[in-house]
Amino acid sequence: PICAVINAVDKHRSDAQTQLYLNRVVASEALFSKAELLAGFGTWRLDLKTGMLEWSQGYYLLLGYTPGEVEPSQENFFRNIHPDDVSEVQSNFNKAIEQKQPAEVDFRVIGKDGAIRYLHAQMELEPDNLHGPGYIIGFSQNITRPRLAQLEVEQKIEELKEAHERQTGILNALPANIVLLNENCKIVAVNKSW
């Protein structure tokens, strides 16, 4: 009888520890999902032997889906990539596998709503226990806001260059010795004949 009591106490203690561990795992998963949502990132993992692909909840969202809406597959992934970016993404994916080197790439995806998002992806090979090809794991982050800001700056620089060229053309077409001053009477431009 005493052994039965000890066994019951040990089982109860073991069950409590297991439940505590499971609670921690669930809390950790919830925290990770929240972090993905807040930081705009997602993860994926492709089993190179079976072709089975897994997406985190955040990865579904990056592609414009709700979690579980579509089956994670290479076909569904590449279906969402902007046609002009497919070959570069495929090349970097192959590089990570063939050269067993980490790879990264920026590309656009087109969500089911038609919205274009810019993503930055990093991927690397994760060998199996026998050091053969096991998995390729990846991380993607939504970089749409900084990329659009960068594109806007590049466009403004181009506009300024064009305006400068027009101004220079007009200035050089004027008679000799023309000077352009700013509001502080500092010389900002002169024509060729100056």
Side-chain angles (χ1 to χ4, degrees), residues 63-93:
L63 298 178
Y65 298 113
T66 57
E69 183 177 346
V70 297
E71 184 69 28
S73 68
Q74 290 186 53
E75 180 184 335
N76 282 332
F77 170 69
F78 281 101
R79 177 182 298 134
N80 288 285
I81 296 177
H82 191 285
D84 294 343
D85 297 344
V86 169
S87 63
E88 185 176 1
V89 172
Q90 188 66 55
S91 171
N92 278 277
F93 182 80

PDB file of all heavy atoms in Angstrom, residues 63-93:
ATOM      1  N   LEU A  63       1.669  36.900 -46.715  1.00  0.00           N
ATOM      2  CA  LEU A  63       1.213  36.568 -48.065  1.00  0.00           C
ATOM      3  C   LEU A  63      -0.231  36.992 -48.313  1.00  0.00           C
ATOM      4  O   LEU A  63      -0.768  36.777 -49.398  1.00  0.00           O
ATOM      5  CB  LEU A  63       1.375  35.069 -48.330  1.00  0.00           C
ATOM      6  CG  LEU A  63       2.809  34.549 -48.280  1.00  0.00           C
ATOM      7  CD1 LEU A  63       2.836  33.039 -48.498  1.00  0.00           C
ATOM      8  CD2 LEU A  63       3.692  35.254 -49.297  1.00  0.00           C
ATOM      9  N   GLY A  64      -0.853  37.604 -47.305  1.00  0.00           N
ATOM     10  CA  GLY A  64      -2.204  38.122 -47.479  1.00  0.00           C
ATOM     11  C   GLY A  64      -3.303  37.133 -47.156  1.00  0.00           C
ATOM     12  O   GLY A  64      -4.458  37.350 -47.513  1.00  0.00           O
ATOM     13  N   TYR A  65      -2.977  36.045 -46.485  1.00  0.00           N
ATOM     14  CA  TYR A  65      -3.966  35.028 -46.115  1.00  0.00           C
ATOM     15  C   TYR A  65      -4.218  35.043 -44.623  1.00  0.00           C
ATOM     16  O   TYR A  65      -3.385  35.518 -43.850  1.00  0.00           O
ATOM     17  CB  TYR A  65      -3.468  33.626 -46.490  1.00  0.00           C
ATOM     18  CG  TYR A  65      -3.233  33.413 -47.957  1.00  0.00           C
ATOM     19  CD1 TYR A  65      -1.950  33.203 -48.442  1.00  0.00           C
ATOM     20  CD2 TYR A  65      -4.295  33.404 -48.851  1.00  0.00           C
ATOM     21  CE1 TYR A  65      -1.719  32.997 -49.797  1.00  0.00           C
ATOM     22  CE2 TYR A  65      -4.071  33.198 -50.214  1.00  0.00           C
ATOM     23  CZ  TYR A  65      -2.786  32.988 -50.670  1.00  0.00           C
ATOM     24  OH  TYR A  65      -2.558  32.791 -52.005  1.00  0.00           O
ATOM     25  N   THR A  66      -5.344  34.474 -44.236  1.00  0.00           N
ATOM     26  CA  THR A  66      -5.549  34.199 -42.823  1.00  0.00           C
ATOM     27  C   THR A  66      -4.923  32.837 -42.545  1.00  0.00           C
ATOM     28  O   THR A  66      -4.889  31.976 -43.441  1.00  0.00           O
ATOM     29  CB  THR A  66      -7.050  34.192 -42.453  1.00  0.00           C
ATOM     30  OG1 THR A  66      -7.720  33.237 -43.272  1.00  0.00           O
ATOM     31  CG2 THR A  66      -7.674  35.553 -42.649  1.00  0.00           C
ATOM     32  N   PRO A  67      -4.412  32.616 -41.338  1.00  0.00           N
ATOM     33  CA  PRO A  67      -3.772  31.333 -41.042  1.00  0.00           C
ATOM     34  C   PRO A  67      -4.683  30.151 -41.363  1.00  0.00           C
ATOM     35  O   PRO A  67      -5.857  30.131 -40.992  1.00  0.00           O
ATOM     36  CB  PRO A  67      -3.465  31.420 -39.545  1.00  0.00           C
ATOM     37  CG  PRO A  67      -3.251  32.900 -39.325  1.00  0.00           C
ATOM     38  CD  PRO A  67      -4.282  33.560 -40.214  1.00  0.00           C
ATOM     39  N   GLY A  68      -4.131  29.203 -42.120  1.00  0.00           N
ATOM     40  CA  GLY A  68      -4.862  28.015 -42.502  1.00  0.00           C
ATOM     41  C   GLY A  68      -5.729  28.162 -43.738  1.00  0.00           C
ATOM     42  O   GLY A  68      -6.353  27.203 -44.184  1.00  0.00           O
ATOM     43  N   GLU A  69      -5.786  29.363 -44.312  1.00  0.00           N
ATOM     44  CA  GLU A  69      -6.661  29.600 -45.474  1.00  0.00           C
ATOM     45  C   GLU A  69      -6.239  28.802 -46.704  1.00  0.00           C
ATOM     46  O   GLU A  69      -7.081  28.355 -47.478  1.00  0.00           O
ATOM     47  CB  GLU A  69      -6.691  31.093 -45.801  1.00  0.00           C
ATOM     48  CG  GLU A  69      -7.608  31.455 -46.938  1.00  0.00           C
ATOM     49  CD  GLU A  69      -7.666  32.953 -47.194  1.00  0.00           C
ATOM     50  OE1 GLU A  69      -7.217  33.753 -46.344  1.00  0.00           O
ATOM     51  OE2 GLU A  69      -8.173  33.327 -48.262  1.00  0.00           O
ATOM     52  N   VAL A  70      -4.938  28.664 -46.904  1.00  0.00           N
ATOM     53  CA  VAL A  70      -4.415  27.863 -48.011  1.00  0.00           C
ATOM     54  C   VAL A  70      -3.400  26.875 -47.462  1.00  0.00           C
ATOM     55  O   VAL A  70      -2.860  27.058 -46.381  1.00  0.00           O
ATOM     56  CB  VAL A  70      -3.750  28.728 -49.117  1.00  0.00           C
ATOM     57  CG1 VAL A  70      -4.748  29.653 -49.772  1.00  0.00           C
ATOM     58  CG2 VAL A  70      -2.574  29.508 -48.577  1.00  0.00           C
ATOM     59  N   GLU A  71      -3.153  25.852 -48.232  1.00  0.00           N
ATOM     60  CA  GLU A  71      -2.160  24.849 -47.859  1.00  0.00           C
ATOM     61  C   GLU A  71      -0.764  25.434 -48.082  1.00  0.00           C
ATOM     62  O   GLU A  71      -0.478  25.949 -49.170  1.00  0.00           O
ATOM     63  CB  GLU A  71      -2.347  23.608 -48.735  1.00  0.00           C
ATOM     64  CG  GLU A  71      -1.435  22.461 -48.378  1.00  0.00           C
ATOM     65  CD  GLU A  71      -1.761  21.815 -47.048  1.00  0.00           C
ATOM     66  OE1 GLU A  71      -2.930  21.840 -46.622  1.00  0.00           O
ATOM     67  OE2 GLU A  71      -0.822  21.281 -46.441  1.00  0.00           O
ATOM     68  N   PRO A  72       0.125  25.396 -47.083  1.00  0.00           N
ATOM     69  CA  PRO A  72       1.496  25.858 -47.322  1.00  0.00           C
ATOM     70  C   PRO A  72       2.154  24.967 -48.384  1.00  0.00           C
ATOM     71  O   PRO A  72       2.221  23.754 -48.222  1.00  0.00           O
ATOM     72  CB  PRO A  72       2.187  25.666 -45.972  1.00  0.00           C
ATOM     73  CG  PRO A  72       1.091  25.589 -44.969  1.00  0.00           C
ATOM     74  CD  PRO A  72      -0.064  24.985 -45.692  1.00  0.00           C
ATOM     75  N   SER A  73       2.567  25.587 -49.478  1.00  0.00           N
ATOM     76  CA  SER A  73       3.241  24.845 -50.545  1.00  0.00           C
ATOM     77  C   SER A  73       4.104  25.818 -51.319  1.00  0.00           C
ATOM     78  O   SER A  73       3.874  27.029 -51.300  1.00  0.00           O
ATOM     79  CB  SER A  73       2.227  24.190 -51.483  1.00  0.00           C
ATOM     80  OG  SER A  73       1.524  25.169 -52.229  1.00  0.00           O
ATOM     81  N   GLN A  74       5.093  25.273 -52.016  1.00  0.00           N
ATOM     82  CA  GLN A  74       5.930  26.127 -52.854  1.00  0.00           C
ATOM     83  C   GLN A  74       5.084  26.776 -53.933  1.00  0.00           C
ATOM     84  O   GLN A  74       5.296  27.936 -54.281  1.00  0.00           O
ATOM     85  CB  GLN A  74       7.076  25.318 -53.458  1.00  0.00           C
ATOM     86  CG  GLN A  74       8.113  24.910 -52.428  1.00  0.00           C
ATOM     87  CD  GLN A  74       9.294  24.235 -53.059  1.00  0.00           C
ATOM     88  OE1 GLN A  74       9.902  24.779 -53.976  1.00  0.00           O
ATOM     89  NE2 GLN A  74       9.621  23.045 -52.580  1.00  0.00           N
ATOM     90  N   GLU A  75       4.129  26.032 -54.459  1.00  0.00           N
ATOM     91  CA  GLU A  75       3.245  26.579 -55.498  1.00  0.00           C
ATOM     92  C   GLU A  75       2.465  27.784 -54.980  1.00  0.00           C
ATOM     93  O   GLU A  75       2.401  28.825 -55.637  1.00  0.00           O
ATOM     94  CB  GLU A  75       2.281  25.494 -55.968  1.00  0.00           C
ATOM     95  CG  GLU A  75       1.328  25.962 -57.050  1.00  0.00           C
ATOM     96  CD  GLU A  75       0.319  24.888 -57.436  1.00  0.00           C
ATOM     97  OE1 GLU A  75       0.599  23.691 -57.253  1.00  0.00           O
ATOM     98  OE2 GLU A  75      -0.766  25.269 -57.904  1.00  0.00           O
ATOM     99  N   ASN A  76       1.884  27.667 -53.784  1.00  0.00           N
ATOM    100  CA  ASN A  76       1.129  28.792 -53.213  1.00  0.00           C
ATOM    101  C   ASN A  76       2.046  29.953 -52.854  1.00  0.00           C
ATOM    102  O   ASN A  76       1.644  31.105 -52.925  1.00  0.00           O
ATOM    103  CB  ASN A  76       0.320  28.339 -51.998  1.00  0.00           C
ATOM    104  CG  ASN A  76      -0.929  27.600 -52.394  1.00  0.00           C
ATOM    105  OD1 ASN A  76      -1.493  27.825 -53.466  1.00  0.00           O
ATOM    106  ND2 ASN A  76      -1.371  26.688 -51.551  1.00  0.00           N
ATOM    107  N   PHE A  77       3.270  29.648 -52.457  1.00  0.00           N
ATOM    108  CA  PHE A  77       4.227  30.718 -52.166  1.00  0.00           C
ATOM    109  C   PHE A  77       4.579  31.470 -53.444  1.00  0.00           C
ATOM    110  O   PHE A  77       4.448  32.692 -53.520  1.00  0.00           O
ATOM    111  CB  PHE A  77       5.483  30.125 -51.524  1.00  0.00           C
ATOM    112  CG  PHE A  77       6.611  31.112 -51.400  1.00  0.00           C
ATOM    113  CD1 PHE A  77       6.532  32.168 -50.518  1.00  0.00           C
ATOM    114  CD2 PHE A  77       7.744  30.979 -52.187  1.00  0.00           C
ATOM    115  CE1 PHE A  77       7.575  33.089 -50.404  1.00  0.00           C
ATOM    116  CE2 PHE A  77       8.784  31.890 -52.079  1.00  0.00           C
ATOM    117  CZ  PHE A  77       8.697  32.939 -51.194  1.00  0.00           C
ATOM    118  N   PHE A  78       5.023  30.750 -54.482  1.00  0.00           N
ATOM    119  CA  PHE A  78       5.449  31.402 -55.717  1.00  0.00           C
ATOM    120  C   PHE A  78       4.288  32.055 -56.464  1.00  0.00           C
ATOM    121  O   PHE A  78       4.489  33.001 -57.211  1.00  0.00           O
ATOM    122  CB  PHE A  78       6.213  30.431 -56.618  1.00  0.00           C
ATOM    123  CG  PHE A  78       7.636  30.238 -56.180  1.00  0.00           C
ATOM    124  CD1 PHE A  78       8.022  29.124 -55.464  1.00  0.00           C
ATOM    125  CD2 PHE A  78       8.592  31.203 -56.450  1.00  0.00           C
ATOM    126  CE1 PHE A  78       9.332  28.962 -55.033  1.00  0.00           C
ATOM    127  CE2 PHE A  78       9.905  31.067 -56.026  1.00  0.00           C
ATOM    128  CZ  PHE A  78      10.273  29.938 -55.319  1.00  0.00           C
ATOM    129  N   ARG A  79       3.071  31.576 -56.236  1.00  0.00           N
ATOM    130  CA  ARG A  79       1.896  32.191 -56.857  1.00  0.00           C
ATOM    131  C   ARG A  79       1.739  33.641 -56.398  1.00  0.00           C
ATOM    132  O   ARG A  79       1.214  34.482 -57.128  1.00  0.00           O
ATOM    133  CB  ARG A  79       0.653  31.381 -56.493  1.00  0.00           C
ATOM    134  CG  ARG A  79      -0.634  31.972 -57.032  1.00  0.00           C
ATOM    135  CD  ARG A  79      -1.874  31.197 -56.622  1.00  0.00           C
ATOM    136  NE  ARG A  79      -1.792  29.851 -57.166  1.00  0.00           N
ATOM    137  CZ  ARG A  79      -2.061  28.756 -56.467  1.00  0.00           C
ATOM    138  NH1 ARG A  79      -2.425  28.829 -55.205  1.00  0.00           N
ATOM    139  NH2 ARG A  79      -1.972  27.567 -57.017  1.00  0.00           N
ATOM    140  N   ASN A  80       2.197  33.937 -55.184  1.00  0.00           N
ATOM    141  CA  ASN A  80       2.031  35.278 -54.615  1.00  0.00           C
ATOM    142  C   ASN A  80       3.190  36.222 -54.924  1.00  0.00           C
ATOM    143  O   ASN A  80       3.086  37.413 -54.668  1.00  0.00           O
ATOM    144  CB  ASN A  80       1.859  35.176 -53.101  1.00  0.00           C
ATOM    145  CG  ASN A  80       0.515  34.615 -52.741  1.00  0.00           C
ATOM    146  OD1 ASN A  80      -0.485  35.294 -52.836  1.00  0.00           O
ATOM    147  ND2 ASN A  80       0.490  33.355 -52.361  1.00  0.00           N
ATOM    148  N   ILE A  81       4.296  35.701 -55.439  1.00  0.00           N
ATOM    149  CA  ILE A  81       5.447  36.557 -55.715  1.00  0.00           C
ATOM    150  C   ILE A  81       5.199  37.351 -56.991  1.00  0.00           C
ATOM    151  O   ILE A  81       4.672  36.832 -57.975  1.00  0.00           O
ATOM    152  CB  ILE A  81       6.732  35.718 -55.837  1.00  0.00           C
ATOM    153  CG1 ILE A  81       7.036  35.052 -54.498  1.00  0.00           C
ATOM    154  CG2 ILE A  81       7.913  36.579 -56.263  1.00  0.00           C
ATOM    155  CD1 ILE A  81       8.241  34.150 -54.518  1.00  0.00           C
ATOM    156  N   HIS A  82       5.592  38.614 -56.965  1.00  0.00           N
ATOM    157  CA  HIS A  82       5.471  39.469 -58.148  1.00  0.00           C
ATOM    158  C   HIS A  82       6.214  38.794 -59.294  1.00  0.00           C
ATOM    159  O   HIS A  82       7.351  38.333 -59.117  1.00  0.00           O
ATOM    160  CB  HIS A  82       6.073  40.849 -57.847  1.00  0.00           C
ATOM    161  CG  HIS A  82       5.776  41.862 -58.879  1.00  0.00           C
ATOM    162  ND1 HIS A  82       6.405  41.890 -60.106  1.00  0.00           N
ATOM    163  CD2 HIS A  82       4.893  42.896 -58.883  1.00  0.00           C
ATOM    164  CE1 HIS A  82       5.943  42.888 -60.810  1.00  0.00           C
ATOM    165  NE2 HIS A  82       5.015  43.517 -60.081  1.00  0.00           N
ATOM    166  N   PRO A  83       5.608  38.722 -60.491  1.00  0.00           N
ATOM    167  CA  PRO A  83       6.242  38.021 -61.618  1.00  0.00           C
ATOM    168  C   PRO A  83       7.664  38.484 -61.924  1.00  0.00           C
ATOM    169  O   PRO A  83       8.505  37.667 -62.316  1.00  0.00           O
ATOM    170  CB  PRO A  83       5.308  38.319 -62.794  1.00  0.00           C
ATOM    171  CG  PRO A  83       3.999  38.668 -62.178  1.00  0.00           C
ATOM    172  CD  PRO A  83       4.297  39.266 -60.838  1.00  0.00           C
ATOM    173  N   ASP A  84       7.959  39.754 -61.714  1.00  0.00           N
ATOM    174  CA  ASP A  84       9.303  40.267 -62.000  1.00  0.00           C
ATOM    175  C   ASP A  84      10.343  39.795 -60.975  1.00  0.00           C
ATOM    176  O   ASP A  84      11.539  39.932 -61.215  1.00  0.00           O
ATOM    177  CB  ASP A  84       9.306  41.793 -62.032  1.00  0.00           C
ATOM    178  CG  ASP A  84       8.481  42.361 -63.179  1.00  0.00           C
ATOM    179  OD1 ASP A  84       8.178  41.605 -64.134  1.00  0.00           O
ATOM    180  OD2 ASP A  84       8.138  43.553 -63.125  1.00  0.00           O
ATOM    181  N   ASP A  85       9.898  39.248 -59.849  1.00  0.00           N
ATOM    182  CA  ASP A  85      10.818  38.860 -58.772  1.00  0.00           C
ATOM    183  C   ASP A  85      10.984  37.349 -58.618  1.00  0.00           C
ATOM    184  O   ASP A  85      11.841  36.896 -57.857  1.00  0.00           O
ATOM    185  CB  ASP A  85      10.333  39.452 -57.438  1.00  0.00           C
ATOM    186  CG  ASP A  85      10.321  40.976 -57.439  1.00  0.00           C
ATOM    187  OD1 ASP A  85      10.947  41.573 -58.322  1.00  0.00           O
ATOM    188  OD2 ASP A  85       9.673  41.558 -56.560  1.00  0.00           O
ATOM    189  N   VAL A  86      10.179  36.565 -59.337  1.00  0.00           N
ATOM    190  CA  VAL A  86      10.183  35.108 -59.156  1.00  0.00           C
ATOM    191  C   VAL A  86      11.562  34.505 -59.394  1.00  0.00           C
ATOM    192  O   VAL A  86      12.051  33.711 -58.593  1.00  0.00           O
ATOM    193  CB  VAL A  86       9.127  34.430 -60.061  1.00  0.00           C
ATOM    194  CG1 VAL A  86       9.298  32.917 -60.073  1.00  0.00           C
ATOM    195  CG2 VAL A  86       7.728  34.798 -59.605  1.00  0.00           C
ATOM    196  N   SER A  87      12.216  34.879 -60.500  1.00  0.00           N
ATOM    197  CA  SER A  87      13.500  34.236 -60.826  1.00  0.00           C
ATOM    198  C   SER A  87      14.566  34.551 -59.783  1.00  0.00           C
ATOM    199  O   SER A  87      15.359  33.677 -59.424  1.00  0.00           O
ATOM    200  CB  SER A  87      13.979  34.635 -62.222  1.00  0.00           C
ATOM    201  OG  SER A  87      14.217  36.018 -62.288  1.00  0.00           O
ATOM    202  N   GLU A  88      14.585  35.757 -59.252  1.00  0.00           N
ATOM    203  CA  GLU A  88      15.586  36.098 -58.228  1.00  0.00           C
ATOM    204  C   GLU A  88      15.336  35.328 -56.928  1.00  0.00           C
ATOM    205  O   GLU A  88      16.268  34.831 -56.298  1.00  0.00           O
ATOM    206  CB  GLU A  88      15.590  37.601 -57.956  1.00  0.00           C
ATOM    207  CG  GLU A  88      16.692  38.007 -57.009  1.00  0.00           C
ATOM    208  CD  GLU A  88      16.794  39.501 -56.779  1.00  0.00           C
ATOM    209  OE1 GLU A  88      15.992  40.273 -57.346  1.00  0.00           O
ATOM    210  OE2 GLU A  88      17.681  39.893 -56.015  1.00  0.00           O
ATOM    211  N   VAL A  89      14.078  35.197 -56.542  1.00  0.00           N
ATOM    212  CA  VAL A  89      13.755  34.437 -55.336  1.00  0.00           C
ATOM    213  C   VAL A  89      14.132  32.969 -55.536  1.00  0.00           C
ATOM    214  O   VAL A  89      14.768  32.357 -54.670  1.00  0.00           O
ATOM    215  CB  VAL A  89      12.256  34.581 -54.975  1.00  0.00           C
ATOM    216  CG1 VAL A  89      11.877  33.645 -53.833  1.00  0.00           C
ATOM    217  CG2 VAL A  89      11.940  36.020 -54.614  1.00  0.00           C
ATOM    218  N   GLN A  90      13.784  32.405 -56.695  1.00  0.00           N
ATOM    219  CA  GLN A  90      14.107  31.009 -56.980  1.00  0.00           C
ATOM    220  C   GLN A  90      15.618  30.795 -56.981  1.00  0.00           C
ATOM    221  O   GLN A  90      16.119  29.815 -56.440  1.00  0.00           O
ATOM    222  CB  GLN A  90      13.509  30.587 -58.327  1.00  0.00           C
ATOM    223  CG  GLN A  90      13.647  29.110 -58.606  1.00  0.00           C
ATOM    224  CD  GLN A  90      12.842  28.254 -57.650  1.00  0.00           C
ATOM    225  OE1 GLN A  90      11.648  28.432 -57.505  1.00  0.00           O
ATOM    226  NE2 GLN A  90      13.495  27.316 -56.981  1.00  0.00           N
ATOM    227  N   SER A  91      16.354  31.736 -57.556  1.00  0.00           N
ATOM    228  CA  SER A  91      17.816  31.640 -57.610  1.00  0.00           C
ATOM    229  C   SER A  91      18.422  31.631 -56.207  1.00  0.00           C
ATOM    230  O   SER A  91      19.316  30.832 -55.908  1.00  0.00           O
ATOM    231  CB  SER A  91      18.371  32.807 -58.426  1.00  0.00           C
ATOM    232  OG  SER A  91      19.758  32.862 -58.338  1.00  0.00           O
ATOM    233  N   ASN A  92      17.953  32.512 -55.339  1.00  0.00           N
ATOM    234  CA  ASN A  92      18.463  32.568 -53.967  1.00  0.00           C
ATOM    235  C   ASN A  92      18.074  31.324 -53.176  1.00  0.00           C
ATOM    236  O   ASN A  92      18.854  30.829 -52.361  1.00  0.00           O
ATOM    237  CB  ASN A  92      17.973  33.832 -53.264  1.00  0.00           C
ATOM    238  CG  ASN A  92      18.817  35.026 -53.625  1.00  0.00           C
ATOM    239  OD1 ASN A  92      19.866  35.235 -53.047  1.00  0.00           O
ATOM    240  ND2 ASN A  92      18.375  35.796 -54.606  1.00  0.00           N
ATOM    241  N   PHE A  93      16.896  30.816 -53.411  1.00  0.00           N
ATOM    242  CA  PHE A  93      16.442  29.589 -52.766  1.00  0.00           C
ATOM    243  C   PHE A  93      17.351  28.429 -53.169  1.00  0.00           C
ATOM    244  O   PHE A  93      17.845  27.686 -52.325  1.00  0.00           O
ATOM    245  CB  PHE A  93      14.989  29.328 -53.179  1.00  0.00           C
ATOM    246  CG  PHE A  93      14.378  28.121 -52.554  1.00  0.00           C
ATOM    247  CD1 PHE A  93      13.884  28.166 -51.264  1.00  0.00           C
ATOM    248  CD2 PHE A  93      14.282  26.937 -53.261  1.00  0.00           C
ATOM    249  CE1 PHE A  93      13.318  27.041 -50.683  1.00  0.00           C
ATOM    250  CE2 PHE A  93      13.712  25.813 -52.692  1.00  0.00           C
ATOM    251  CZ  PHE A  93      13.226  25.872 -51.400  1.00  0.00           C
TER     252      PHE A  93
END
